[in-house]
């Protein structure tokens, strides 16, 4: 009986996750009442919300059929471990996507939590790229026939704000989760990574929580309004390096589990793939594109020249290619910014 109770408790922990601890605790106080109280009031929490998604998942599902479950679980094992190791908690597994949450707690301040969340993402990307099991799935003949050159990749969005944490559902099915436009924003940022040609997009709310040293390692890639919000938001990315096996400079056997400080991790162990000089020149290009808070100092002609120069250094740089495409679409016949340019744009895609 005792073993059965322990197993039930472990299954409840796995099913409800960290967000469900409060729900379980409150329901235990109900005494002899058998049913779960689905009308408990939620509580407001301030946290960092992450949303990540497996790319080309529909194609993988149609090709692998039932075997796709094994692929998803292999990815989940990497995602969950990296998040838990970095002060976070997996909240929901949604088919090919994962909702993740980082909350300040104990002696861990918000800056440490924010940088740990970013470190989670960097580690997931590298671990997936060098996972032999996932590589074998990706190399299967039927997948390569359908998507030549396919490699398993993911997109990642990260946003900070408030949410209501609570029991969502009914007496028939309850999930412990979060309700908030800020959670939705993390999902929209993940979706937008495809447009920007990057793996990771951070909102300026998350970027503002990072230490100045780590902020300098990120790149501002645009200022936009997203669906569900009229407030312009700056977007940032971290240029995650590829391993030598994948054509990059990061050692294939780099140990990402060592107890490196966050500063050491980002500056020494896994520094961005872009050099300081590249990022400095990029800053001039993005400033020329945005033109300040109201777009009054925009200089798209200069920005375009700088972006072309940057592409000579990184031919497939997603943010540079994206900005050139945006300016080509919005510029006047003379290549200048529109007269009514406000210093941001509406992100048309979700």
């Amino acid at each position: 009986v005792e073993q059965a109770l322990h197993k039930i408790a472990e299954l409840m922990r796995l099913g409800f996750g960290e967000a469900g601890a409060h729900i379980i605790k409150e329901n235990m106080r109900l005494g002899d009442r058998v049913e779960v109280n689905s009308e408990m009031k939620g509580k407001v929490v301030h946290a960092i919300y992450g949303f990540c998604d497996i790319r080309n998942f529909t194609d993988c599902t149609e090709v692998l059929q039932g075997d796709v479950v094994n692929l998803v679980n292999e990815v989940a094992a990497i995602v969950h471990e990296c998040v838990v190791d970095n002060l976070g908690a997996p909240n929901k597994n949604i088919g090919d996507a994962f909702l993740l949450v980082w909350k300040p707690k104990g002696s861990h301040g918000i800056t440490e939590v924010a940088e740990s969340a970013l470190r989670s993402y960097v580690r997931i990307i590298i671990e997936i790229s060098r996972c032999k099991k996932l590589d074998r799935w990706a190399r299967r003949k039927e997948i390569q026939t359908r998507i030549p050159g396919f490699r398993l990749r993911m997109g990642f969005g990260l946003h900070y704000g408030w949410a209501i944490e609570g029991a969502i559902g009914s007496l028939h099915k309850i999930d412990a989760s979060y309700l908030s436009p800020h959670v939705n924003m993390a999902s929209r940022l993940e979706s937008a990574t495809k447009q920007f040609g990057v793996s990771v997009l951070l909102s300026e709310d998350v970027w503002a929580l990072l230490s100045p040293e780590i902020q300098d390692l990120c790149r501002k890639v645009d200022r936009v309004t997203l669906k569900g919000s009229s407030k312009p938001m700056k977007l940032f990315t971290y240029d995650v390096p590829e391993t030598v096996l994948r054509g990059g400079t990061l050692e294939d056997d780099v140990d990402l589990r060592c107890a490196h400080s966050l500063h050491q991790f980002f500056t020494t162990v896994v520094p961005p793939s872009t050099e300081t000089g590249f990022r400095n020149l990029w800053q001039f290009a993005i400033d020329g594109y945005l033109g300040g808070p109201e777009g009054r100092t925009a200089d798209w002609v200069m920005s375009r020249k700088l972006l072309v120069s940057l592409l000579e250094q990184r031919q497939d740089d997603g943010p540079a290619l994206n900005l050139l495409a945006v300016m080509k679409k919005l510029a006047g016949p003379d290549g200048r910014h529109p007269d009514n340019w406000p210093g941001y744009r509406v992100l048309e895609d979700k």
Side-chain angles (χ1 to χ4, degrees):
V1 174
E2 185 178 350
Q3 288 183 342
L5 288 173
H6 279 301
K7 190 167 186 178
I8 291 171
E10 180 64 12
L11 288 171
M12 289 178 68
R13 184 188 69 80
L14 288 172
F16 279 97
E18 183 181 272
H22 175 70
I23 298 170
I24 295 172
K25 180 180 178 181
E26 290 301 312
N27 273 277
M28 292 298 289
R29 292 177 179 176
L30 297 177
D32 296 333
R33 183 174 173 178
V34 177
E35 69 271 17
V36 175
N37 181 9
S38 61
E39 298 181 358
M40 286 175 51
K41 184 178 180 181
K43 65 175 183 177
V44 177
V45 298
H46 286 81
I48 296 170
Y49 309 100
F51 197 88
C52 57
D53 181 85
I54 302 172
R55 301 273 175 84
N56 300 108
F57 187 71
T58 300
D59 292 302
C60 289
T61 302
E62 292 177 354
V63 171
L64 297 176
Q65 298 291 306
D67 285 340
V68 78
V69 173
N70 297 321
L71 182 146
V72 171
N73 287 341
E74 191 67 38
V75 172
I78 294 173
V79 171
H80 291 179
E81 179 178 320
C82 293
V83 170
V84 171
D85 284 352
N86 285 280
L87 307 180
N91 179 251
K92 292 181 75 68
N93 307 318
I94 317 164
D96 60 331
F98 305 90
L99 174 60
L100 315 162
V101 182
W102 291 262
K103 294 187 290 187
K105 50 191 171 184
S107 61
H108 304 293
I110 190 62
T111 294
E112 181 185 1
V113 173
E115 293 180 357
S116 295
L118 179 57
R119 179 166 64 178
S120 300
Y121 277 1
V122 173
R123 182 175 155 191
I124 291 168
I125 292 168
I126 296 170
E127 296 289 15
I128 283 179
S129 74
R130 64 184 185 181
C131 176
K132 293 181 179 179
K133 286 185 179 180
L134 291 176
D135 191 53
R136 284 196 293 270
W137 282 111
R139 290 177 180 273
R140 285 180 60 159
K141 181 179 179 181
E142 55 267 47
I143 290 184
Q144 289 296 323
T145 299
R146 180 151 183 165
I147 317 171
F150 173 76
R151 279 178 53 193
L152 197 142
R153 298 178 185 273
M154 298 183 72
F156 301 82
L158 206 60
H159 184 56
Y160 173 75
W162 61 267
I164 306 301
E165 179 185 84
I168 314 300
S170 70
L171 294 178
H172 300 285
K173 176 68 172 74
I174 282 182
D175 288 319
S177 195
Y178 300 85
L179 299 177
S180 171
H182 296 291
V183 176
N184 297 337
M185 188 63 70
S187 173
R188 292 189 177 105
L189 289 173
E190 182 282 319
S191 182
T193 58
K194 304 179 188 73
Q195 182 178 146
F196 286 92
V198 297
S199 296
V200 178
L201 275 181
L202 319 175
S203 69
E204 66 175 300
D205 300 270
V206 171
W207 179 85
L209 299 175
L210 304 175
S211 63
E213 294 81 5
I214 308 305
Q215 286 179 343
D216 288 343
L217 299 178
C218 299
R219 270 202 289 168
K220 178 168 59 180
V221 296
D222 212 336
R223 184 168 179 250
V224 302
T225 57
L226 289 94
K227 182 179 179 181
S229 176
S230 59
K231 179 184 177 182
M233 173 188 293
K234 297 172 186 174
L235 304 182
F236 296 82
T237 193
Y238 186 88
D239 298 304
V240 182
E242 294 270 22
T243 60
V244 173
L245 183 64
R246 299 294 187 182
T249 58
L250 188 69
E251 292 297 327
D252 294 319
D253 59 350
V254 60
D255 189 351
L256 304 178
R257 301 187 186 189
C258 284
H260 304 293
S261 69
L262 286 160
H263 182 271
Q264 184 182 16
F265 179 87
F266 289 112
T267 59
T268 305
V269 181
V270 190
S273 59
T274 48
E275 300 290 340
T276 301
F278 183 95
R279 293 195 301 276
N280 288 341
L281 192 60
W282 170 267
Q283 190 61 50
F284 283 112
I286 191 74
D287 287 346
Y289 158 71
L290 294 175
E294 298 178 351
R296 294 177 179 176
T297 61
D299 186 343
W300 283 16
V301 174
M302 179 271 290
S303 179
R304 191 179 292 105
K305 290 180 180 178
L306 291 176
L307 291 170
V308 171
S309 174
L310 289 167
L311 283 172
E312 292 176 358
Q313 301 179 47
R314 286 169 59 98
Q315 296 180 358
D316 58 349
D317 188 69
L321 292 169
N322 181 64
L323 281 193
L324 285 173
V326 169
M327 286 190 281
K328 181 178 181 179
K329 180 179 179 180
L330 299 180
D334 57 358
R336 290 169 47 81
H337 61 279
D339 292 336
N340 60 347
W341 172 246
Y344 66 90
R345 66 187 176 97
V346 177
L347 195 65
E348 296 179 352
D349 294 341
K350 179 183 175 184

